[in-house]
Amino acid sequence: MELNKKIHELKEELIKSTQEIMRIKSVEEEAKENMPFGEGVSKALECALEISRRLGFKTKNLDGYVGYAEYGEGEDYIGVLGHLDVVPEGDGWVYPPYEAEIHHGKIYGRGALDDKGPIMAALYGLKAIKDLNLPLSKKVRIIFGTNEETGSKEMEYYLKKEKPPVAGFTPDAEYPLIYAEKGITSFDLVRKLESLGTDEIFIKYINGGQRVNMVPDYCESGIVVKEKDTVIKALEKFKQSSEFNLTAHIKSDMVVIKSIGVSAHGSLPHLGKNAIMQMFKFLATLPIKDSDIYKFIEFFNQYVGFECDGKSFGVALSDEESGKLSFNIGTIEMNEEKINLGLNLRYPVTYTFEDVLNPLKETLKNTGIEIDNMSHQKPLYFSKDHDLVKTLINVYNDQTGKRGEPLAIGGGTYAKEMPNILAFGPIFPGKPDLDHQANEYIEIDDLIMNSKIYAHAIYELAK
């Protein structure tokens, strides 16, 4: 418990350093020389390295992309990976987002929980090890990332210049520990359109959704029709047999249909109501049956509908570790020339990308639908018996007095950006996830508890 006592002695200093770094607005901006992600992010990186130097650590700044504080000797190192960039503050704050004010035992501000507070907690955990002169067999690096929120391009740069850690963690998720993260792929399904309906009625546009990794809560379609009543009556009839939230509005030569759904995260699509698929269900009832647009819409009604697991599409993969594949249609953009549907799939950790791609392509055969803009992140998966999993979960259980079990998730964390890293904290079970929210805060007691857990975790991995 020596380490915990030392962290109590460092408590005021840890709070002040956390406030100091939180006061810098480190949202990505236009790149400048040696500031690849803009001035604010660069200031935050320099501030973190300055705090590290004050604490007696060696530091390195890799051309403004990323920096680290280092302690100890040896070839191999343990890495703690955090990030200093933040998402924009948005509206609705009770306390100023960049003042790091303390109220009711909480430090308020953007980055308090994601991820400035936690990476400072880890830095001070290492400071406690250093002050106590505990013997380590490996070096330790606290790595200050700068681009986690908008692409993690700094990690690509880091791994070109430095070898990866042999083990470590990122304090950028939740406790007890995340040992499995599903593979994630996003892509567009595109079809060129030659016919949009008939002379009497045709679909001019469909737009909906904001991002592929969100269940769309809004979709709008413009229908050019000679007899506007036919569409309005068709909608009234359709609504009698469904519970969908659809409305019709007349706008010059068009009837505009608005579909209202319920948003949810793309990793949990079953918690939402898909506004695009509601729209597709209705549009398929209109007299446009021989058109390209009808064929496209009817294909998705048949092979997706409101399924969230890809079953009808032929990609319903599932495993014991991480559950079912999740299948989300997130965006649509249709004009008179083509239609573009954005999808986000998250597949179980024991499968490969090919296990998803091959049946997907098979289902799309002879439809005229092409795959475009495909991105992919492999699953992250460590067995529950892996030394890193066992070490971190034991530290969490010892320090909290709980019996935590490692978690599998559908989202992706910063751990995916660097080999041999798992996501570990900082959010305790039952506490709110305030990342990206207005009035983000970290409780001071939780900041200190994180520092204790991270100190013990670093020591166990590096001793």
Side-chain angles (χ1 to χ4, degrees):
M1 300 308 276
E2 260 185 307
L3 271 174
N4 291 357
K5 188 169 166 240
K6 178 53 73 176
I7 284 161
H8 268 291
E9 289 168 20
L10 294 167
K11 176 180 172 177
E12 293 310 316
E13 219 181 311
L14 167 54
I15 292 167
K16 282 194 170 60
S17 293
T18 301
Q19 288 176 295
E20 185 182 344
I21 195 115
M22 279 173 62
R23 288 185 181 123
I24 298 166
K25 182 176 177 174
S26 50
V27 175
E28 185 181 2
E29 299 165 321
E30 198 182 321
K32 295 185 176 177
E33 195 178 347
N34 290 327
M35 300 178 181
F37 309 112
E39 212 164 314
V41 173
S42 177
K43 274 185 189 161
L45 179 57
E46 206 30 72
C47 176
L49 295 174
E50 178 50 41
I51 291 168
S52 303
R53 286 191 285 272
R54 287 201 307 256
L55 298 179
F57 296 119
K58 282 190 281 191
T59 63
K60 188 167 183 180
N61 184 336
L62 293 170
D63 308 317
Y65 278 87
V66 59
Y68 59 81
E70 188 174 79
Y71 174 67
E73 302 298 326
E75 271 302 294
D76 293 334
Y77 73 94
I78 298 301
V80 182
L81 172 62
H83 66 92
L84 304 172
D85 59 315
V86 295
V87 296
E89 63 281 8
D91 303 322
W93 288 79
V94 175
Y95 305 111
Y98 299 108
E99 295 295 326
E101 291 180 8
I102 295 175
H103 300 274
H104 318 295
K106 298 164 183 171
I107 310 174
Y108 280 85
R110 182 54 85 225
L113 199 59
D114 180 28
D115 188 37
K116 290 175 174 177
I119 197 61
M120 284 296 125
L123 183 68
Y124 274 82
L126 184 59
K127 166 71 170 160
I129 290 169
K130 177 176 169 291
D131 286 1
L132 293 169
N133 208 12
L134 298 178
L136 303 180
S137 69
K138 298 177 188 73
K139 278 189 301 201
V140 180
R141 277 184 191 173
I142 309 293
I143 302 166
F144 302 110
T146 57
N147 187 231
E148 189 272 345
E149 298 293 4
T150 47
S152 298
K153 293 182 275 292
E154 88 286 37
M155 285 299 114
E156 287 172 37
Y157 194 86
Y158 180 90
L159 291 168
K160 278 179 194 158
K161 302 273 181 181
E162 304 276 343
K163 66 178 187 179
V166 291
F169 57 89
T170 175
D172 192 30
E174 59 191 291
Y175 288 120
L177 171 73
I178 292 165
Y179 79 108
E181 301 179 18
K182 285 179 179 174
I184 304 176
T185 179
S186 296
F187 51 91
D188 295 333
L189 293 179
V190 185
R191 192 186 200 279
K192 290 197 175 86
L193 300 172
E194 284 174 15
S195 54
L196 307 173
T198 67
D199 291 344
E200 302 292 315
I201 177 169
F202 68 89
I203 297 173
K204 191 175 174 70
Y205 71 86
I206 311 172
N207 288 313
Q210 294 169 299
R211 300 204 301 265
V212 288
N213 65 351
M214 284 171 69
V215 177
D217 60 4
Y218 184 75
C219 182
E220 183 180 300
S221 176
I223 300 159
V224 177
V225 59
K226 285 191 175 165
E227 297 292 332
K228 297 188 177 61
D229 256 13
T230 56
V231 174
I232 291 163
K233 280 180 180 158
L235 182 61
E236 282 169 7
K237 186 182 171 192
F238 178 76
K239 284 169 78 170
Q240 284 168 9
S241 61
S242 75
E243 293 174 14
F244 301 153
N245 186 348
L246 294 159
T247 54
H249 310 264
I250 293 172
K251 188 176 173 185
S252 65
D253 65 332
M254 275 190 297
V255 178
V256 174
I257 305 290
K258 295 181 178 181
S259 169
I260 308 295
V262 177
S263 188
H265 195 278
S267 63
L268 302 163
H270 59 283
L271 299 180
K273 195 177 256 188
N274 196 305
I276 294 171
M277 294 315 298
Q278 284 185 172
M279 181 68 84
F280 274 20
K281 281 286 182 206
F282 169 65
L283 293 178
T285 68
L286 298 176
I288 52 168
K289 289 219 171 2
D290 292 326
S291 62
D292 291 345
I293 184 68
Y294 177 81
K295 286 172 192 160
F296 187 92
I297 287 168
E298 196 40 44
F299 173 84
F300 284 94
N301 283 339
Q302 187 182 338
Y303 288 100
V304 184
F306 293 94
E307 288 180 1
C308 299
D309 60 2
K311 188 178 177 191
S312 297
F313 222 95
V315 292
L317 307 174
S318 182
D319 66 20
E320 208 177 304
E321 287 75 11
S322 56
K324 291 178 178 180
L325 175 141
S326 65
F327 191 107
N328 183 56
I329 289 177
T331 58
I332 187 167
E333 207 175 315
M334 175 249 159
N335 57 32
E336 294 176 52
E337 289 168 13
K338 69 173 186 177
I339 187 162
N340 191 322
L341 205 60
L343 275 70
N344 180 252
L345 274 57
R346 294 156 191 260
Y347 62 92
V349 295
T350 57
Y351 289 90
T352 67
F353 187 37
E354 284 64 39
D355 294 330
V356 180
L357 200 54
N358 294 338
L360 191 81
K361 284 180 173 171
E362 190 60 37
T363 304
L364 291 170
K365 244 187 201 169
N366 306 320
T367 60
I369 299 168
E370 304 285 332
I371 297 173
D372 198 13
N373 295 327
M374 189 166 248
S375 67
H376 175 241
Q377 273 190 316
K378 286 198 299 206
L380 181 149
Y381 174 51
F382 285 65
S383 130
K384 284 186 182 178
D385 293 329
H386 191 284
D387 281 348
L388 181 56
V389 174
K390 290 201 293 199
T391 300
L392 294 178
I393 209 82
N394 286 342
V395 166
Y396 172 81
N397 289 342
D398 287 350
Q399 292 304 308
T400 61
K402 304 227 165 75
R403 306 271 10 112
E405 283 294 323
L407 309 168
I409 62 166
T413 77
Y414 210 20
K416 275 193 173 150
E417 305 301 333
M418 188 173 276
N420 311 318
I421 295 277
L422 286 175
F424 186 46
I427 301 170
F428 290 96
K431 292 286 175 87
D433 179 352
L434 302 166
D435 295 3
H436 304 188
Q437 307 291 319
N439 304 309
E440 180 184 347
Y441 65 78
I442 190 164
E443 292 178 42
I444 288 171
D445 288 349
D446 286 352
L447 182 70
I448 306 310
M449 189 61 182
N450 269 299
S451 194
K452 291 175 183 175
I453 291 169
Y454 294 151
H456 286 274
I458 292 165
Y459 177 65
E460 290 300 323
L461 292 172
K463 71 182 183 185

